[in-house]
Amino acid sequence: MTNSVGKGWASGLISTIKDPKNHIISSKDAVVIHDKYPKARHHYLVLPKADIPDIFHLNLSHLPLLEELHLLAQNVIEVKSFQLDDFKIGFHAQPSMQRLHLHVISKDFVSDCLKTKKHWVSFNTELFLQYQEAYARLKTDACIKRLTKEQIQELTASALECNQCEFEAKNMPDLKRHLLEHWAQRQ
Ligand code: AMP
Ligand code: ZN
């Protein structure tokens, strides 16, 4: 198995999961932690205990592990008494941190940590690979392939479309104001 114990910021998740106090819930093979820089009101990460660097190192033998990650993702939503429909569950198609991690994020995207267009598009375009799509791709192709540089560039340049209505924002402050209005309406 690949050894992904790296240096610096990219290995932050590996350090975080080493301390059991950071585990919200866990199973034999995986743990759930809080995302340290949540991009929405509720943002968790599900990680395998095994040293799997990222989605590009998955093969057919990992399908049961993916199912377990997904189960834990659903469990944390249940444990916190939230609604499954209010969450997105998936992987970043171009991850930055080491150790495979499944994002579990509430769809409000109301957070001071959501700052840049890159943050927004990473969760709200095809740069976010929904769990079901990742599972299906792995099952069909026996691996998950990287997006091309051109695909990433195109998706990164996507318009700032609201994820809850037809609104298209001019910039991030505009989008954040708008998302806050949606959130306030729900309270
Ligand atoms: P990705 O782009 O999928 O690699 O996302 C990595 C995620 O890890 C981001 O949402 C970060 O906010 C989060 N993060 C970075 N460092 C830590 C850490 N030390 N503990 C928990 N979450 C972290
Ligand atoms: Zn909207």
Side-chain angles (χ1 to χ4, degrees):
M1 189 164 288
T2 315
N3 185 334
S4 67
V5 179
K7 294 188 182 74
W9 63 271
S11 60
L13 298 180
I14 298 172
S15 307
T16 301
I17 62 168
K18 275 189 188 142
D19 186 348
K21 284 203 290 293
N22 293 326
H23 301 172
I24 306 170
I25 53 172
S26 63
S27 67
K28 186 167 73 63
D29 297 319
V31 303
V32 184
I33 60 170
H34 286 282
D35 191 294
K36 196 171 172 183
Y37 309 100
K39 305 302 184 296
R41 301 281 300 172
H42 312 289
H43 189 179
Y44 312 104
L45 300 173
V46 190
L47 301 95
K49 291 179 184 173
D51 186 18
I52 302 169
D54 52 42
I55 47 172
F56 312 116
H57 285 77
L58 294 172
N59 59 48
L60 284 177
S61 78
H62 294 116
L63 285 172
L65 176 68
L66 276 198
E67 286 168 26
E68 180 159 343
L69 299 185
H70 189 229
L71 199 63
L72 275 182
Q74 294 171 91
N75 284 351
V76 71
I77 294 169
E78 201 181 317
V79 163
K80 298 280 184 182
S81 302
F82 298 137
Q83 298 294 317
L84 194 57
D85 280 356
D86 292 334
F87 282 78
K88 296 186 85 160
I89 300 175
F91 300 95
H92 277 152
Q94 197 196 18
S96 56
M97 300 290 287
Q98 282 177 24
R99 181 60 60 90
L100 178 70
H101 52 278
L102 181 63
H103 288 268
V104 182
I105 185 162
S106 56
K107 292 176 185 171
D108 53 84
F109 290 98
V110 169
S111 167
D112 290 345
C113 293
L114 184 93
K115 294 179 196 293
T116 64
K117 180 172 184 177
K118 203 171 162 190
H119 288 156
W120 178 255
V121 296
S122 75
F123 287 102
N124 291 288
T125 67
E126 283 167 44
L127 290 170
F128 191 75
L129 187 55
Q130 305 267 4
Y131 165 78
Q132 281 80 4
E133 175 66 17
Y135 188 91
R137 275 199 214 168
L138 185 58
K139 205 168 171 184
T140 311
D141 303 338
C143 68
I144 295 175
K145 296 186 187 79
R146 287 180 191 275
L147 295 178
T148 63
K149 224 164 88 183
E150 290 71 28
Q151 284 172 316
I152 292 169
Q153 270 169 5
E154 196 181 324
L155 290 165
T156 304
S158 302
L160 289 173
E161 287 167 5
C162 174
N163 63 332
Q164 296 158 69
C165 76
E166 301 298 309
F167 179 73
E168 191 178 310
K170 290 191 288 290
N171 49 41
M172 279 307 286
D174 193 25
L175 179 62
K176 283 170 71 72
R177 257 192 310 273
H178 178 80
L179 293 168
L180 197 56
E181 282 170 20
H182 275 298
W183 184 75
Q185 275 166 16
R186 289 197 59 178
Q187 302 315 301

